[in-house]
Amino acid sequence: MNKKISLLEASIVLSLIILSISIGVIGLKLSPNITILFAISVSIFYVLIKRMPMEIINKGIVSGLKPGIIPIFIFLLVGALIAVWIQAGIIPTLMVVGFKIISVKWFVPSVFVVCAIVGSAVGSAFTVMSTIGIAFFGIGATIGLNPALVVGAIVSGSVFGDKMSPLSESTNLASAIAGADLFKHIKHMMWSTVPAFVISLILFAFLGMSNANADLSGIDTVIAVLEKNFSISFWSIIPIVLMLACAWKKIPAIITILLNVIVGIIMILIQSPTVGIAKIATMVEKGFVSETGNQEIDLLLSRGGIDSMMPTVSLIILTLSLGGILMEIGLITTVIEALVKKLNSTWQLIVITLFSSIGVNIFIGEQFLSVILPGNAFKGAYKEKNLDPVVLGRTLEDGGTVINYLIPWGIAGSFVASTFGVPTLTYLPFVFFSLLSPVFSIVSAVTGIGVTYIEETN
């Protein structure tokens, strides 16, 4: 049995944990792995002080890891997919096409819009970022744009698309937890997503124009190198079409990615019959190694592989373990339950729900739990105030789904950093959509604009 924990006690311990993580990651520039491990040590020390049974640690780790098992497996497959898509010429083909049709002046806003459109079609931000996102990142690096700005545009567009897609797991989860109709939920999210999208587009256009005079002299050279060393052809569109078709048929992500890996391997064997299975297997595990002789291209395209995702996997394991321990001890639930009891007005309820989702992201690092925990905790309060369930659903998305990409030790944040090689805190200032969504959610709560009640829909 867990011993009774006061709100003050829970607040002090959680504050100590987040303070230690912040100082470690931001102040001392330590690896998130080390800071999370220290936070776990603090949690275990607290258990010892409270004389709680030590089994609570093991139970917390196991329960914490459960939500991350599927994402971890997907990340490993994505690592393999990236390596295969580069070897098969799919990503190089996207880069060549992008060089020829996208204006440098409007490159950054174009990336944002295209990722948003594809994300809406696919319903998975991770899929968009690990496929066309890699190609866009390569183009941006070639023309000398700020890598953090390009990643910010890729992530912002991908997250918007994921959030507004009826195929998205996170969107379906948020609507289900809130008890709202899926399409009504998506429509209601526009109160915060549309302003955030428009302002993000303006910011990306402004910042992109400052790079309008980027050096383009090396583009022809890069295209020539890509065409010489990779198979650049119309057939490279096949896996992309397959990915979109799988999304529309609602085929699970694991099957979709695995199928695309297999198709990519078949394309490699057709294009290069001399490449043996052993070499392909090594590439899938270790990643693709570019040997074009062009240092910039080799650095850019030497990536992917299962091994490349292992640092992300280790961080996910530690983060979810910490979150599970904190939940099992009762620290997080103590704070949330106390908040629920002290809410008086509608705008306070919405704002507290928003910050609770953000808080779960910070302490647990898992975007689904940042929707599930506050959603279940505050659902009754929304019913008491006769608020339409879509209000809760939108708030959970604005504080939960989009914020995980900004947390260095979060599943999404660590995935982005691993995929593009840009630290989370470096690209964070440019993920305008994720930064602005909570802002407009607060504006809606305070002004009452977009806050609907059940009576109004009858």
Side-chain angles (χ1 to χ4, degrees):
M1 295 289 292
N2 294 352
K3 294 193 175 183
K4 183 67 176 178
I5 300 173
S6 68
L7 175 60
L8 177 61
E9 188 176 327
S11 300
I12 291 174
V13 176
L14 291 176
S15 297
L16 178 61
I17 288 174
I18 194 61
L19 183 63
S20 64
I21 294 175
S22 300
I23 292 175
V25 174
I26 301 174
L28 302 178
K29 308 295 182 184
L30 297 178
S31 165
N33 283 312
I34 302 301
T35 58
I36 297 298
L37 188 59
F38 176 78
I40 291 175
S41 301
V42 172
S43 302
I44 294 176
F45 184 65
Y46 175 76
V47 169
L48 293 173
I49 292 178
K50 294 287 290 184
R51 297 182 182 276
M52 294 180 180
M54 289 306 296
E55 290 79 8
I56 201 171
I57 301 297
N58 294 337
K59 188 176 179 181
I61 292 174
V62 172
S63 62
L65 286 176
K66 272 187 177 181
I69 293 176
I70 298 301
I72 286 173
F73 190 74
I74 290 175
F75 289 171
L76 297 179
L77 289 178
V78 166
L81 178 70
I82 292 172
V84 170
W85 271 33
I86 295 175
Q87 171 82 50
I90 299 164
I91 289 178
T93 296
L94 290 173
M95 290 177 63
V96 170
V97 172
F99 281 130
K100 293 180 177 180
I101 66 174
I102 296 180
S103 166
V104 175
K105 182 178 180 180
W106 302 109
F107 175 75
V108 176
S110 297
V111 167
F112 173 57
V113 172
V114 171
C115 287
I117 294 173
V118 177
S120 298
V122 175
S124 170
F126 289 166
T127 301
V128 176
M129 289 186 285
S130 60
T131 52
I132 64 170
I134 293 290
F136 281 138
F137 184 73
I139 297 173
T142 301
I143 59 180
L145 297 178
N146 180 359
L149 174 61
V150 177
V151 172
I154 294 170
V155 174
S156 291
S158 301
V159 173
F160 172 84
D162 186 311
K163 192 176 179 183
M164 301 304 289
S165 173
L167 304 176
S168 168
E169 291 182 355
S170 60
T171 302
N172 277 273
L173 174 65
S175 64
I177 291 295
D181 174 77
L182 175 61
F183 291 97
K184 187 179 178 182
H185 165 69
I186 293 173
K187 180 180 179 181
H188 190 77
M189 281 196 294
M190 291 183 181
W191 287 108
S192 58
T193 56
V194 170
F197 180 90
V198 172
I199 293 180
S200 296
L201 182 60
I202 293 172
L203 290 171
F204 284 128
F206 174 76
L207 294 175
M209 286 189 65
S210 65
N211 292 283
N213 297 321
D215 183 13
L216 306 181
S217 60
I219 289 183
D220 291 337
T221 301
V222 171
I223 292 176
V225 171
L226 291 175
E227 291 179 338
K228 180 181 178 181
N229 292 274
F230 297 93
S231 177
I232 309 298
S233 68
F234 173 78
W235 297 109
S236 294
I237 198 174
I238 292 177
I240 300 173
V241 174
L242 176 63
M243 182 180 67
L244 293 172
C246 288
W248 280 107
K249 288 294 183 179
K250 297 185 179 180
I251 296 176
I254 291 177
I255 298 176
T256 297
I257 298 173
L258 189 58
L259 187 59
N260 272 276
V261 170
I262 294 172
V263 171
I265 291 175
I266 293 173
M267 292 178 64
I268 293 172
L269 293 173
I270 293 174
Q271 296 163 3
S272 307
T274 57
V275 177
I277 296 297
K279 186 175 181 180
I280 293 177
T282 300
M283 176 200 64
V284 169
E285 181 181 2
K286 304 293 184 182
F288 177 79
V289 178
S290 178
E291 298 176 340
T292 65
N294 184 299
Q295 186 176 0
E296 292 183 356
I297 294 179
D298 289 342
L299 181 63
L300 179 65
L301 295 182
S302 292
R303 61 180 65 233
I306 293 174
D307 284 356
S308 70
M309 290 297 173
M310 295 314 295
T312 301
V313 170
S314 66
L315 180 57
I316 291 172
I317 290 174
L318 289 171
T319 301
L320 293 181
S321 296
L322 172 62
I325 293 172
L326 295 178
M327 285 297 300
E328 198 64 34
I329 293 174
L331 293 173
I332 294 179
T333 51
T334 297
V335 174
I336 292 180
E337 288 174 0
L339 290 174
V340 172
K341 295 177 182 178
K342 295 183 178 180
L343 296 173
N344 296 315
S345 64
T346 296
W347 75 266
Q348 287 179 331
L349 174 61
I350 295 173
V351 171
I352 291 298
T353 304
L354 183 78
F355 281 104
S356 295
S357 291
I358 294 174
V360 173
N361 263 315
I362 293 173
F363 286 107
I364 299 181
E366 211 284 321
Q367 61 179 185
F368 285 177
L369 289 179
S370 70
V371 170
I372 295 172
L373 296 179
N376 288 331
F378 292 105
K379 190 173 182 178
Y382 279 74
K383 286 184 178 179
E384 289 180 5
K385 294 184 179 298
N386 292 321
L387 285 165
D388 194 308
V390 293
V391 178
L392 173 60
R394 185 193 69 193
T395 307
L396 294 174
E397 292 259 36
D398 288 338
T401 306
V402 304
I403 297 299
N404 199 257
Y405 296 86
L406 308 180
I407 309 298
W409 51 89
I411 290 180
S414 57
F415 172 81
V416 175
S418 174
T419 300
F420 298 105
V422 179
T424 308
L425 295 179
T426 303
Y427 71 73
L428 184 152
F430 299 104
V431 188
F432 300 125
F433 180 77
S434 292
L435 294 171
L436 289 170
S437 290
V439 173
F440 284 107
S441 193
I442 293 174
V443 171
S444 173
V446 174
T447 63
I449 298 175
V451 177
T452 57
Y453 294 84
I454 295 175
E455 292 85 357
E456 297 177 3
T457 60
N458 290 336

